[in-house]
Amino acid sequence: MISSAGAASATPLTHNAPLLKGPPITMVESPYDPALKCLSEHLTPEQKRVVYAVGSFPDRTGKLNFAAPDAAGSFLSQGNEDALMTSLAKTGVQVTNMSPTFRGMYDWIMMRAPAPARKQVTLLVPDVLVSGSMNSLDVKPGGGFEGNAVIKAGRRVNRLVVGFQANATAMPFNTQAQSGQVLTSFAYTKQLVGYENEFGVTDFFGGGSTRTLMSFTIGKQDREALQYASNKMMDVTAYRVVRDLTGQTACDEQFRQAEVGQVSTTIGIPEPIAPS
C-alpha cells in the first residue's frame, strides 16, 4: 500500500503570492447619521462654538479575553473614544482631542520647545467633557431545538443585553456652568441578537447487509455585528449630549426613527435641560 501527501503552489517560492481580494473598503454609515446631520443644520453659530472633548469611555463589563486565538481584549469596546469624537463632529460642534496620546505629545513639545515658540502655541480648551462607560453585559441563552431519534429541527436565538451610561461635565473655563457640574446624564440598553437555524436527520438507510446509519445536518447562523453596534451607541451618546445641552429638539423624530422596528421606536428622549 502506497500513501502520498503533498501540496502544490502555483507561485514560485521566490515570488510574492497574489493576494485574495475581498470586498472594498466602504464608509461607515449609521442609521443615526441623518439625525446627527439634522442637528448640525439647526445649531446656531454660537452653539457650534462650544468645544466638546471626549474623555474615557471604557468597557467595564469585565469580559476581557486576551488568550484565545481570536481574542480582541475588551469584548464590547474597541475604540469608543475615537467613535464618539467622529459622532460629535457630525453634529457640527467643535471637538478637541484629549486622548492620552495627544496630551503626552503636547506636554513633551511644551517641555522641549524654546520659550519663544511656546508662547506661540495655542490650545483649544474644552467647555464640556463627554465621558461614560459600558457597564453591564447580560447573556440570555436561547433554546428552541426539538426533535426525536430521527429528526431534529429548530431555531435558537441568543441575546446579549448591553448597558451604557454617559454624561457631560462642565470644564473649568465653561462660562455657563460651574466647573465639574454634570450638565446631562443618561443611560441606555441595547440587545444584540444572534440566531442559529438547524435541520437534521439521523436514520438507517438501505436493507439487509447494506443497511447503513447515515446522518446529515443543514443549518444557518448569524449575529449582529458587535463593534458596529458599539459605534451606533456612540452616535446615540453624541446626539443626546449636544441635543440636551443646546435644547435643539427639531431632530428628535429622525432620532426616534433611526432604527424603525428595532430600538428607536421606543427610545426615551426627555425634555432637554434648559441652558443656564
Side-chain angles (χ1 to χ4, degrees):
M1 180 178 180
I2 300 176
S3 175
S4 63
S9 174
T11 305
L13 297 179
T14 56
H15 291 69
N16 291 327
L19 301 178
L20 179 65
K21 293 183 179 180
I25 297 173
T26 59
M27 291 285 292
V28 177
E29 296 181 352
S30 165
Y32 294 97
D33 282 349
L36 297 174
K37 182 180 179 181
C38 175
L39 261 186
S40 71
E41 295 170 350
H42 282 81
L43 295 183
T44 66
E46 182 179 357
Q47 290 170 334
K48 290 184 177 181
R49 283 195 291 269
V50 176
V51 181
Y52 294 77
V54 175
S56 177
F57 212 112
D59 178 354
R60 290 179 177 164
T61 62
K63 307 296 184 182
L64 301 177
N65 187 354
F66 297 96
D70 58 348
S74 298
F75 182 65
L76 294 176
S77 170
Q78 303 294 332
N80 281 340
E81 293 83 3
D82 293 334
L84 184 51
M85 280 194 287
T86 301
S87 299
L88 283 169
K90 291 178 181 178
T91 68
V93 300
Q94 294 190 80
V95 183
T96 184
N97 193 339
M98 285 193 63
S99 67
T101 301
F102 171 79
R103 295 199 303 267
M105 181 59 67
Y106 180 85
D107 293 341
W108 185 87
I109 292 175
M110 294 303 290
M111 289 174 59
R112 289 163 174 78
R118 289 200 300 269
K119 293 181 180 179
Q120 299 178 17
V121 175
T122 60
L123 180 65
L124 188 61
V125 179
D127 301 297
V128 178
L129 176 67
V130 184
S131 59
S133 68
M134 292 178 168
N135 55 6
S136 66
L137 175 60
D138 296 306
V139 180
K140 293 177 64 65
F145 284 102
E146 298 181 358
N148 51 38
V150 178
I151 299 176
K152 177 183 178 183
R155 177 182 178 91
R156 177 183 291 122
V157 177
N158 297 302
R159 297 175 184 268
L160 289 177
V161 184
V162 180
F164 67 102
Q165 300 190 25
N167 55 74
T169 306
M171 294 293 281
F173 294 98
N174 190 315
T175 60
Q176 303 298 320
Q178 292 183 328
S179 176
Q181 178 183 351
V182 176
L183 303 174
T184 186
S185 182
F186 47 86
Y188 283 101
T189 184
K190 163 70 174 153
Q191 289 194 18
L192 297 162
V193 181
Y195 72 89
E196 179 182 1
N197 295 333
E198 183 177 306
F199 174 79
V201 175
T202 302
D203 202 357
F204 286 94
F205 295 87
S209 61
T210 63
R211 188 172 176 81
T212 305
L213 177 64
M214 300 183 65
S215 176
F216 72 89
T217 300
I218 57 176
K220 179 183 178 181
Q221 59 182 0
D222 202 357
R223 67 172 177 84
E224 196 170 354
L226 179 58
Q227 303 309 321
Y228 179 59
S230 297
N231 287 347
K232 290 193 292 184
M233 296 179 202
M234 297 304 101
D235 286 340
V236 170
T237 300
Y239 181 89
R240 277 296 311 272
V241 165
V242 176
R243 179 258 192 199
D244 288 1
L245 268 58
T246 60
Q248 291 287 355
T249 60
C251 307
D252 283 359
E253 189 59 29
Q254 287 180 273
F255 179 69
R256 290 190 181 95
Q257 296 299 321
E259 295 183 276
V260 175
Q262 297 183 40
V263 176
S264 297
T265 51
T266 57
I267 202 165
I269 314 179
E271 289 300 315
I273 302 172
S276 58

